[in-house]
Amino acid sequence: MGLTRSEAFVTGQAGVLAVAVTEDEVATDGASTKPVEKLRRVVIRIAGDSGDGMQLTGDRFTQETAIHGNDLSTLPDFPAEIRAPAGTLPGVSAFQLHFADHDILTPGDAPDVLVAMNPAALKTNLGAVPRGGTVIVNTDEFTGRALKKVGYEQNPLEDGSLDGYRVHPIALTSQTVKALDGHPLSRKEAERAKNMYALGLLSWLYHRPVEQTLRFLEQKFAKRPDIVAANRAAFQAGWNFGETTEEFAVSYEVAPATSAFPAGTYRNISGNPALAYGLIAASRRSGLGLFLGSYPITPASDILHELAKHKAFGVRTFQAEDEIAAIGAALGASYGGALGVTTTSGPGVALKSEAIGLAVSLELPLIICDIQRGGPSTGLPTKTEQADLLQAMFGRNGESPVPIVAPRSPADCFDAAMEAARIALTYRTPVFLLSDGYLANGSEPWRIPEVEELPALRVRFAQTDDYPAGQPYLPYQRDPETLARTWAVPGTQGLEHRIGGLEKADVTGEISYDPANHDHMVRIRAAKVAGIAKSIPPLEADDPGGSARLLVLGWGSTYGPVQAACRLVRGRGGAVAHAHLRHLNPFPPGLGELLKRYDRVLIPEMNLGQLSLLIRARYLVDAVGYNQVRGLPFTSTELADAIEEQVHA
């Protein structure tokens, strides 16, 4: 029967969605007539030109999957150029999503399904698809010119090179244009909706809920009703194509991951928004205003964009003219009694290094969020890496230790931001938060915490009443437990004091050139950072059975691939332990004893061995590194092979 637009999506038998294209079209109402095959997990990769909306398509499919209740993990992969030449290999943008009916840890090693919107997308991604995998190809783009541009001498759809795959050749572009016949759009504008056609097809193929996608289109293009109508029509045409074509004999269903999540309210979240929310929560729990001084840089800019939306929570954002001005403003905000934050990536850290040293000397709270990317120099701006650890540890002049915290997953960026704020405020010190591009752009389900679960971060400023009349304010007087100096808001009567980069006398804060005082101040700042370890839980290893002789030690975003690899090895009968570091300076208590319990230690890193260097130097442990710097996260299978090699060594 015909459905009105407001009734366009209803639930039929077996949970299959019935779709109406427009008011005057006939829709399927009721269950799909095609068989449904149940799967436990699927990895899908959607690839095309960077201007074809691949990230938007992947994001919408991810949101549908989150609403359905699957566990999920994503890996967006896009070029550094704002708009790379169309149809070229460097211009391919891809989005990979792994979803399952059980808990998962990575975006998947290899796609079960590849949607290739053009020859470039097919050529750059086909190698990742295992033989027997499904390939959906937009045949309209496989023209002689497009094939030649990417080095195909013959059409791979015709020369037999795809015989080992389940190929579905579909004229996505022309079918989209046909579906939009009668809409007031040019052909070029109509062609742009082919990503929505593909999304509709995938939504049918995997029984995704679609109401939120249609609502999203209405909101995103609210000022262009014609674009809303076109995208809806393209989406619905793709859904209807899946139901009516003989190209797909079955559809697939991945049940919600009901046992994977503790009770609570969840949302899908990426690392950068999670980090931003963690900073806001820290601001509210501490009672301090949040000030962000930032200069746009990939992949950190989304934090600035997100925080700029939340002025209602006392957040102030300042887009500075350069990296140096950004951190200078953030440090000034800390001096004024705010929670000062600056966001950047590796190249920006290099420019901020002198101001970070100043923050060490001033002993003021400051959070430096380094969202790591491929380097050196401009390097791979949109790719991931873990190569800033030594820069965070030592990238300043003089003895200037700084605590370092690293999240392990996109959702964990929230908790890591809270922990960085706790350390900065409690110990009056700048703190590095080392995330990376994989965490920043990837996403997973996040349980929204209850307010009472969050740590209390209230700060007490020095008050006039703390100092009897005539007694001078002593800005470097310290808490005997934390060694943190007092913190006075400028303008507080009787607590006037000065700050600067020259060495300060202990307690009084006067400028001092005394050799013994300098030695004392250097040592007490180091002792303050080292003392943070007393507030960190001891590191524990995941060692089922306690029989493992090999410990795999990781940090940051390697957590998911390493843990997944350990599961693979254990499933094959191997014994392996896994420990993961959140605190990299100081290391957590008991780390040395933990390392010595195992015969061998393997440290996987997306660098050439930076944590390995620190572990070997600090604990005299003959740790072995497994290292790659490809701009991509590890796969669980490659790590499993490396672990098994060490297990049997």
Side-chain angles (χ1 to χ4, degrees):
M1 64 179 185
L3 301 178
T4 65
R5 190 173 294 276
S6 62
E7 298 170 324
F9 290 86
V10 298
T11 303
Q13 297 174 9
V16 179
L17 295 173
V19 181
V21 178
T22 62
E23 290 90 336
D24 57 352
E25 291 179 335
V26 176
T28 59
D29 59 346
S32 171
T33 58
K34 295 185 178 181
V36 177
E37 183 178 330
K38 294 186 181 296
L39 303 174
R40 293 212 63 198
R41 53 174 291 276
V42 177
V43 179
I44 296 176
R45 184 180 298 180
I46 307 167
D49 270 334
S50 60
D52 281 347
M54 297 297 96
Q55 301 304 316
L56 175 62
T57 305
D59 180 70
R60 291 317 312 165
F61 193 83
T62 299
Q63 299 302 329
E64 294 174 3
T65 298
I67 293 169
H68 188 62
N70 298 119
D71 195 8
L72 63 90
S73 180
T74 69
L75 177 63
D77 185 17
F78 42 87
E81 291 81 3
I82 293 175
R83 183 64 175 97
T88 62
L89 299 177
V92 173
S93 176
F95 189 103
Q96 183 161 306
L97 167 66
H98 182 193
F99 59 101
D101 66 358
H102 56 279
D103 68 307
I104 56 175
L105 296 162
T106 74
D109 290 353
D112 303 301
V113 179
L114 170 65
V115 180
M117 303 297 282
N118 60 21
L122 180 66
K123 189 164 190 177
T124 56
N125 291 280
L126 184 63
V129 183
R131 305 295 284 185
T134 297
V135 181
I136 300 173
V137 183
N138 179 14
T139 57
D140 287 322
E141 301 299 322
F142 280 68
T143 63
R145 181 180 179 183
L147 292 168
K148 184 177 181 181
K149 186 181 291 187
V150 298
Y152 276 126
E153 295 183 2
Q154 293 180 310
N155 190 335
L157 304 181
E158 301 171 353
D159 65 4
S161 59
L162 300 180
D163 287 350
Y165 305 92
R166 291 183 293 177
V167 180
H168 297 281
I170 303 172
L172 291 173
T173 304
S174 58
Q175 288 181 191
T176 301
V177 173
K178 184 178 180 180
L180 300 186
D181 186 30
H183 287 259
L185 300 176
S186 67
R187 180 180 177 85
K188 186 175 182 180
E189 289 175 322
E191 289 178 353
R192 289 175 181 167
K194 63 180 178 288
N195 64 325
M196 287 296 106
Y197 189 101
L199 179 58
L201 173 59
L202 290 173
S203 298
W204 171 84
L205 193 59
Y206 292 98
H207 293 204
R208 300 296 90 183
V210 298
E211 294 90 341
Q212 290 295 327
T213 291
L214 296 187
R215 190 172 297 120
F216 166 82
L217 292 173
E218 291 175 352
Q219 294 172 349
K220 182 176 178 63
F221 301 110
K223 296 181 179 180
R224 292 288 307 275
D226 55 334
I227 299 298
V228 173
N231 278 285
R232 283 180 62 105
F235 179 90
Q236 294 163 343
W239 196 99
N240 284 343
F241 175 78
E243 174 62 22
T244 58
T245 183
E246 296 181 0
E247 186 64 40
F248 296 96
V250 299
S251 61
Y252 303 93
E253 187 173 36
V254 180
T258 53
S259 61
F261 306 116
T265 302
Y266 287 79
R267 60 157 290 179
N268 183 52
I269 200 165
S270 299
N272 276 350
L275 196 156
Y277 297 159
L279 293 173
I280 295 171
S283 168
R284 303 295 287 183
R285 294 293 282 174
S286 65
L288 304 180
L290 177 63
F291 179 91
L292 174 69
S294 182
Y295 181 75
I297 184 172
T298 302
S301 298
D302 287 343
I303 303 171
L304 170 62
H305 301 159
E306 185 62 41
L307 288 177
K309 302 174 184 176
H310 299 289
K311 295 180 177 64
F313 293 104
V315 179
R316 296 184 179 183
T317 54
F318 169 56
Q319 181 174 317
E321 65 269 27
D322 55 44
E323 297 280 7
I324 298 171
I327 191 172
L331 186 54
S334 292
Y335 177 57
L339 177 58
V341 181
T342 190
T343 53
T344 190
S345 191
V349 173
L351 294 170
K352 296 178 189 290
S353 61
E354 184 177 5
I356 297 171
L358 177 60
V360 171
S361 177
L362 300 183
E363 300 190 46
L364 285 171
L366 178 70
I367 301 176
I368 305 108
C369 302
D370 178 3
I371 317 302
Q372 301 166 95
R373 70 189 201 188
S377 188
T378 307
L380 305 174
T382 60
K383 310 301 180 182
T384 194
E385 206 162 277
Q386 283 185 298
D388 293 353
L389 176 55
L390 295 183
Q391 181 184 34
M393 282 286 292
F394 306 119
R396 295 164 297 284
N397 64 298
E399 294 286 346
S400 50
V402 173
I404 302 172
V405 175
R408 69 184 191 179
S409 70
D412 190 49
C413 288
F414 177 91
D415 295 318
M418 293 286 293
E419 175 65 359
R422 181 193 71 83
I423 293 172
L425 295 172
T426 303
Y427 295 90
R428 309 284 196 271
T429 179
V431 178
F432 262 102
L433 198 164
L434 287 184
S435 180
D436 61 41
Y438 172 36
L439 300 184
N441 297 314
S443 65
E444 65 178 355
W446 171 54
R447 189 182 72 86
I448 301 173
E450 300 294 335
V451 173
E452 56 269 19
E453 297 174 7
L454 303 177
L457 302 176
R458 284 283 172 180
V459 175
R460 186 184 185 279
F461 292 104
Q463 304 294 325
T464 303
D465 294 345
D466 297 340
Y467 297 86
Q471 181 178 338
Y473 170 55
L474 302 174
Y476 281 81
Q477 192 172 43
R478 298 181 183 277
D479 181 306
E481 179 65 24
T482 65
L483 300 181
R485 76 171 183 88
T486 59
W487 190 9
V489 176
T492 305
Q493 186 175 357
L495 305 189
E496 295 84 359
H497 62 289
R498 63 184 175 184
I499 60 172
L502 293 173
E503 184 63 279
K504 306 297 184 297
D506 188 26
V507 183
T508 67
E510 298 294 329
I511 294 173
S512 173
Y513 296 101
D514 179 66
N517 177 77
H518 178 59
D519 183 270
H520 172 73
M521 294 296 280
V522 166
R523 291 179 185 275
I524 204 166
R525 287 191 290 262
K528 180 177 67 172
V529 172
I532 295 169
K534 292 184 293 185
S535 69
I536 300 172
L539 186 65
E540 297 181 358
D542 173 28
D543 187 0
S547 61
R549 307 314 307 157
L550 171 69
L551 173 69
V552 183
L553 181 66
W555 71 277
S557 65
T558 62
Y559 174 80
V562 171
Q563 182 68 357
C566 288
R567 290 181 182 179
L568 287 174
V569 172
R570 292 166 187 158
R572 299 169 186 169
V576 59
H578 175 211
H580 200 78
L581 293 168
R582 161 169 283 176
H583 298 88
L584 296 153
N585 192 37
F587 286 128
L591 176 57
E593 291 77 9
L594 178 67
L595 294 171
K596 291 176 182 177
R597 293 212 306 260
Y598 296 90
D599 295 339
R600 291 177 299 282
V601 177
L602 176 67
I603 303 180
E605 299 181 79
M606 292 186 290
N607 58 47
L608 295 183
Q610 297 187 13
L611 177 61
S612 297
L613 182 69
L614 297 175
I615 292 294
R616 291 170 68 94
R618 179 71 59 85
Y619 300 106
L620 302 180
V621 171
D622 189 20
V624 176
Y626 182 81
N627 309 99
Q628 55 95 337
V629 281
R630 301 173 300 190
L632 295 170
F634 288 112
T635 65
S636 58
T637 50
E638 67 180 321
L639 283 178
D641 291 342
I643 291 170
E644 286 195 319
E645 183 178 338
Q646 291 297 317
V647 166
H648 300 299

